[in-house]
Amino acid sequence: MGEEVEQQEFTRADRTRHREKVRRNLDVFARMLREAAFDTDDPMTGLEVELNLVDEAGDPALRNAEVLEQIADADFQTELAQFNVEINVPPVHLHDDGLARIEEVLRQDLNDAEERSAAIGAHLVMIGILPTLAEGHLGRDAISANPRYALLSDQILAARGEDIEIRISGDEQLRTTADSIVPEAACTSTQFHVQTSPDQFAAYWNASQAIAAAQLAVGANSPYLLGKELWRETRIPLFEQATDTRGEELKAQGVRPRVWFGERWITSVFDCFEENVRYFPALLPITDDEDPLEVLEAGGTPALSELRLHNGTVYRWNRPVYDVTDAGPHLRVENRLLAAGPTVLDTVANAAFYFGLVRSVAESERPLWSQMSFSAAEENFHVAARQGIDAQIYWPGVGQVRATELVLRRLLPMAHEGLERWGVSAEVRDRLLGVIEQRCLLGTNGAEWFVSRVRARAGEDRWDALRATLLEYRERMHSNEPVHAWD
């Protein structure tokens, strides 16, 4: 998403040529899955965190270009809006105490970045949606300078043919419109990457879908948007609507949305890529000169850049990724459904829960997805996004169950087992999964803490209460005490 683009307008011929090239990429990818040696000997895991920028008062700071210049670290990059930046944590092997190293690197990098950005009056905040965002921050002029972002916004609006409407019903009601995809930028996330072999990919993707609701319930951290208390993880409906290329008529016809949970369990990574090509027209029909078949038959590794770019504009909550490194091609699942924060420790605890649980579920003798309909997993996902830590979800062999009880009784032991298989030490497992356990026991996550603090300021103006709570949140974020231990 962050690469530079030069072409700003596309002709009908561009789109035809791009469609043909994407389909050729897909054919070559299918052949690679049959024949190529993917890098799977020692799987890596990775982490990306999107951050918000605020000023001294807690209001959005639209200054990411200045902040990045001040930070001067290649691990930090632009995101869609000028009040966002992203940090990429180098991939690690979990068996080498990788989670502890992720926490150490992320904490140190964020401390350094905060110190430098604070010198120009901007501060970093890890939260799913910045509570102090107002309508005036979501206009087209808030888009970052990278031309790809403006181009993507224009293409989505052109495909839709009308302004984007945001309608969310939660504890309060929100209805607004936008003339760009900047509302998408309000959704900052943590993205966990887990590398898999082609043979294992379907199991890891299916497992990620099945456990998504439990992740959301314990990790929700986005309860406010434009001054309204909505879902506990409001990022989910907001992101689904903010990049929707469908007008009302296409929705009525059953055309699939670009932000997509999916509609079935898969049997191969090819299923995800093939669906993306079959169902979704290209938003950025940029075509390069590589002949992927020629590269493959010459013994090289095709970049498949058109397929990868197209895949990056279909926003699955668990996204399939094909990438190429010096070690060759590899596949990974990108789990992108959680908000960042509240602290580095909370974020890495969420990572530990995901990495451990997904391995345990994916490698179980009887697949969970053989016992559970896909529609049940999708319904669980949206229930957990709406209700957060109080969610009641369906689980095979149990029926409807409170998410916290499910996590405590079944899923945490599975996550411990999965981390043990990864080679994570008992000390690290106990410390990080202990954070998830305490959230469940105390009924507290980022969203619950924030809502309770705003409600305690019920006598104040809502925006004043949001600013005051956000400043308190930012201070506690730097303590690295997990949110369940906050007063």
Side-chain angles (χ1 to χ4, degrees):
M1 284 298 300
E3 296 177 8
E4 296 288 342
V5 295
E6 297 178 1
Q7 193 169 5
Q8 296 295 310
E9 295 183 2
F10 302 107
T11 66
R12 292 191 296 273
D14 290 332
R15 295 186 179 278
T16 299
R17 183 168 59 252
H18 184 268
R19 178 179 288 111
E20 293 171 352
K21 183 70 178 293
V22 167
R23 289 175 176 171
R24 189 154 65 250
N25 280 184
L26 193 62
D27 290 340
V28 170
F29 182 58
R31 179 170 166 179
M32 291 177 68
L33 292 174
R34 295 191 302 268
E35 303 174 0
F38 281 77
D39 177 24
T40 58
D41 290 342
D42 194 5
M44 305 281 283
T45 58
L47 176 69
E48 301 170 67
V49 180
E50 295 169 357
L51 305 154
N52 289 283
L53 300 174
V54 298
D55 61 19
E56 300 289 349
D59 289 318
L62 278 66
R63 304 178 65 186
N64 66 357
E66 300 166 70
V67 166
L68 290 174
E69 183 178 356
Q70 191 76 10
I71 294 173
D73 183 338
D75 288 340
F76 286 82
Q77 301 174 356
T78 59
E79 258 298 325
L80 174 59
Q82 294 179 47
F83 51 80
N84 300 146
V85 294
E86 179 181 81
I87 178 173
N88 297 299
V89 179
V92 300
H93 298 291
L94 292 183
H95 58 73
D96 294 328
D97 279 337
L99 287 166
R101 287 189 290 117
I102 285 176
E103 183 181 0
E104 180 182 356
V105 169
L106 184 57
R107 181 83 177 136
Q108 186 61 55
D109 284 355
L110 290 179
N111 283 345
D112 291 346
E114 169 64 23
E115 183 178 350
R116 296 183 184 189
S117 63
I120 59 171
H123 303 277
L124 305 175
V125 178
M126 291 194 299
I127 194 168
I129 295 176
L130 196 57
T132 53
L133 280 172
E135 296 270 6
H137 300 118
L138 300 181
R140 198 177 188 281
D141 56 354
I143 294 177
S144 291
N146 185 330
R148 170 162 298 187
Y149 298 127
L151 179 58
L152 182 63
S153 179
D154 291 345
Q155 293 298 309
I156 287 176
L157 268 293
R160 184 178 172 86
E162 58 191 61
D163 284 353
I164 293 170
E165 186 173 38
I166 307 296
R167 303 174 82 174
I168 304 174
S169 296
D171 290 88
E172 298 173 352
Q173 311 291 316
L174 175 67
R175 182 171 181 176
T176 188
T177 58
D179 62 357
S180 75
I181 63 166
V182 173
E184 177 195 337
C187 308
T188 52
S189 66
T190 302
Q191 295 143 33
F192 306 134
H193 294 255
V194 59
Q195 187 179 345
T196 80
S197 68
D199 290 343
Q200 289 183 306
F201 184 92
Y204 272 80
W205 188 86
N206 288 340
S208 296
Q209 296 285 93
I211 66 176
Q215 287 183 267
L216 278 179
V218 299
N221 195 27
S222 308
Y224 289 94
L225 173 63
L226 300 181
K228 303 288 188 180
E229 181 187 331
L230 300 168
W231 292 19
R232 287 304 186 260
E233 194 49 71
T234 305
R235 288 173 47 261
I236 302 303
L238 177 59
F239 198 73
E240 288 175 343
Q241 295 177 37
T243 54
D244 199 342
T245 57
R246 307 168 303 162
E248 292 300 319
E249 297 80 5
L250 293 182
K251 293 178 187 177
Q253 293 173 37
V255 173
R256 293 160 179 84
R258 293 193 88 95
V259 177
W260 199 30
F261 189 79
E263 61 189 15
R264 64 186 176 107
W265 305 118
I266 66 170
T267 58
S268 165
V269 63
F270 186 79
D271 293 351
C272 288
F273 281 96
E274 191 274 335
E275 285 178 348
N276 287 355
V277 171
R278 177 155 48 104
Y279 294 146
F280 302 102
L283 290 177
L284 300 174
I286 300 167
T287 306
D288 69 18
D289 295 329
E290 178 190 72
D291 184 328
L293 183 58
E294 184 178 294
V295 171
L296 183 64
E297 293 187 337
T301 301
L304 305 183
S305 58
E306 293 83 7
L307 184 64
R308 291 162 64 192
L309 177 59
H310 180 62
N311 187 60
T313 62
V314 179
Y315 305 97
R316 294 177 182 266
W317 294 110
N318 287 293
R319 176 186 278 165
V321 177
Y322 165 85
D323 209 348
V324 181
T325 67
D326 292 341
H330 74 256
L331 301 171
R332 60 184 190 266
V333 177
E334 181 188 31
N335 178 260
R336 44 189 292 114
L337 52 95
L338 283 185
T343 66
V344 168
L345 177 54
D346 283 301
T347 299
V348 180
N350 290 338
F353 185 56
Y354 171 71
F355 290 137
L357 186 56
V358 76
R359 179 158 185 172
S360 181
V361 172
E363 298 181 4
S364 62
E365 291 185 8
R366 185 183 178 194
L368 180 64
W369 49 97
S370 71
Q371 309 167 57
M372 181 182 190
S373 70
F374 192 88
S375 60
E378 183 175 16
E379 183 177 356
N380 280 348
F381 177 77
H382 286 99
V383 167
R386 180 187 288 269
Q387 299 175 359
I389 204 91
D390 292 328
Q392 297 269 344
I393 61 177
Y394 169 79
W395 198 256
V398 179
Q400 292 296 123
V401 60
R402 188 179 174 94
T404 50
E405 180 181 350
L406 177 67
V407 171
L408 288 169
R409 293 181 180 272
R410 292 204 176 193
L411 303 189
L412 275 176
M414 294 169 66
H416 272 283
E417 178 192 20
L419 290 179
E420 187 175 13
R421 291 186 192 179
W422 282 114
V424 177
S425 69
E427 180 183 359
V428 172
R429 296 198 313 265
D430 291 344
R431 177 172 180 263
L432 294 176
L433 294 182
V435 171
I436 305 299
E437 178 184 41
Q438 288 301 309
R439 284 190 213 154
C440 293
L441 290 172
L442 298 173
T444 299
N445 56 19
E448 291 304 316
W449 181 88
F450 209 101
V451 168
S452 69
R453 299 299 290 176
V454 171
R455 288 180 177 177
R457 294 181 164 100
E460 303 177 23
D461 173 80
R462 170 61 65 85
W463 289 101
D464 289 341
L466 289 171
R467 288 188 189 93
T469 303
L470 183 62
L471 291 176
E472 184 181 355
Y473 177 102
R474 185 171 73 84
E475 180 180 352
R476 292 172 181 265
M477 181 187 79
H478 287 295
S479 74
N480 209 32
E481 283 292 316
V483 70
H484 71 260
W486 296 3
D487 294 335

